[in-house]
Amino acid sequence: MRTALLSAPLALPAAPAAGEGLAVDVELVLAVDVSSSMKPAELALQRQGYAAAFRAREVIDAMLSGRHGRVAVTYVEWGASGSRRVVVPWTLVAAPQDALAVAERLAEAELGSLFQTSISGAIRHAMRAFADSPYAGDRRIVDISGDGPNNQGGLVTLSRDAALAEGITINGLPLVLHANVLSGSGTPSLDRYYADCVVGGPRAFVLPVRGWDAFPAAVRRKLVLELSDARPALPGAARPSARPRDVAAAAPVDCTIGETLWRGAEPV
């Protein structure tokens, strides 16, 4: 549902010309999994959750809370390594109406799924997006959300490490919705896979979602944590260096488990 503030279509603010490097507090790549394991209704709920977050007062306040008072965001949907869809190109959010324009763009864009799950490809795309960005962020963050492990496009750990070497932070929003997604792998859950194999960098965290009813609130919380200049505590979320107690003593995750499952199971 659209907010009453959106009584007329809003245009995305124009980006500066490439090379100008307008200073922003954060450059944020929202890399959202739309692989074929997700049903059409789930794709709609996911998109609605992000659109609602950009209308939320606490998210808008977080975006404007830094020393520059502005952030830059892009929203990309991904599947296989070479398969992605840029729904929102790099966009400056420097006022509430800018965030509402992003929400409108997300609400209006066509939905669709893509084949396979290449977290590694999504990270590489994010690195290229930063290289081409017309902004200069004090922090550069990739936010990966998805409902399964990497199963195509090269080892996720290699892409992660390449991003970390460039000072990029990777956060994770694993959708722990399918109890058996890593069945038989020795891995307790997808959030542990994300903590061990996907995320990293300064202030990195994993914030698992365990039901679609919890998704909108999780997206809002995640964006506030990423975009705020504060460093709030993260009860219920896992940092790579401080995992929840129930997984702290477990053996390290096999970061190639997605590729292994892909070779012997239905597509993820």
Side-chain angles (χ1 to χ4, degrees), residues 25 31 48 99 117 124 130 133 142 151 158 160 165-166 179 196 203 221 236 243:
D25 295 301
Q48 290 164 11
T117 304
R124 290 193 299 271
F130 286 128
S133 169
V142 185
N151 61 30
L158 295 180
R160 176 201 61 192
E166 294 191 7
D196 278 15
R203 298 170 60 175
R221 182 179 179 215
R243 301 189 188 99

Side-chain angles (χ1 to χ4, degrees), residues 124-160:
R124 290 193 299 271
H125 171 80
M127 293 174 68
R128 291 191 293 270
F130 286 128
D132 295 337
S133 169
Y135 302 101
D138 291 350
R139 293 184 288 140
R140 293 181 297 165
I141 301 171
V142 185
D143 187 301
I144 301 285
S145 62
D147 71 342
N150 189 78
N151 61 30
Q152 188 268 345
L155 296 179
V156 66
T157 49
L158 295 180
S159 292
R160 176 201 61 192

Side-chain angles (χ1 to χ4, degrees), residues 175-266:
L175 308 179
V176 190
L177 306 173
H178 310 295
N180 296 321
V181 68
L182 295 176
S183 177
S185 68
T187 303
S189 62
L190 187 64
D191 52 328
R192 175 65 192 277
Y193 172 89
Y194 265 66
D196 278 15
C197 306
V198 178
V199 309
R203 298 170 60 175
F205 63 87
V206 174
L207 184 60
V209 178
R210 304 189 187 279
W212 282 111
D213 57 339
F215 184 80
V219 172
R220 292 195 303 272
R221 182 179 179 215
K222 175 200 64 153
L223 288 172
V224 168
L225 291 171
E226 289 171 329
L227 296 169
S228 174
D229 202 35
R231 295 172 180 261
L234 283 167
R239 293 184 184 277
S241 59
R243 301 189 188 99
R245 284 175 295 174
D246 62 334
V247 298
V253 170
D254 175 5
C255 293
T256 67
I257 187 60
E259 288 83 354
T260 300
L261 292 173
W262 174 261
R263 288 192 294 268
E266 290 298 315

Side-chain angles (χ1 to χ4, degrees), residues 29-51:
V29 176
L30 294 170
V32 180
D33 178 11
V34 294
S35 57
S36 55
S37 62
M38 298 182 69
K39 301 177 178 65
E42 293 175 329
L43 294 174
L45 288 170
Q46 180 170 249
R47 184 78 71 73
Q48 290 164 11
Y50 277 98

Side-chain angles (χ1 to χ4, degrees), residues 70-183:
R70 55 184 180 246
V71 301
V73 298
T74 179
Y75 182 101
V76 183
E77 295 176 340
W78 55 271
S81 179
S83 181
R84 66 191 61 87
R85 181 166 50 241
V86 178
V87 179
V88 178
W90 279 118
T91 299
L92 181 69
V93 178
Q97 60 265 31
D98 299 334
L100 297 178
V102 173
E104 181 79 348
R105 180 72 166 260
L106 291 172
E108 294 294 334
E110 185 178 354
L111 292 169
S113 63
L114 299 171
F115 191 56
Q116 286 195 269
T117 304
S118 182
I119 300 173
S120 56
I123 294 172
R124 290 193 299 271
H125 171 80
M127 293 174 68
R128 291 191 293 270
F130 286 128
D132 295 337
S133 169
Y135 302 101
D138 291 350
R139 293 184 288 140
R140 293 181 297 165
I141 301 171
V142 185
D143 187 301
I144 301 285
S145 62
D147 71 342
N150 189 78
N151 61 30
Q152 188 268 345
L155 296 179
V156 66
T157 49
L158 295 180
S159 292
R160 176 201 61 192
D161 292 349
L164 300 189
E166 294 191 7
I168 297 167
T169 292
I170 303 173
N171 294 328
L173 189 76
L175 308 179
V176 190
L177 306 173
H178 310 295
N180 296 321
V181 68
L182 295 176
S183 177

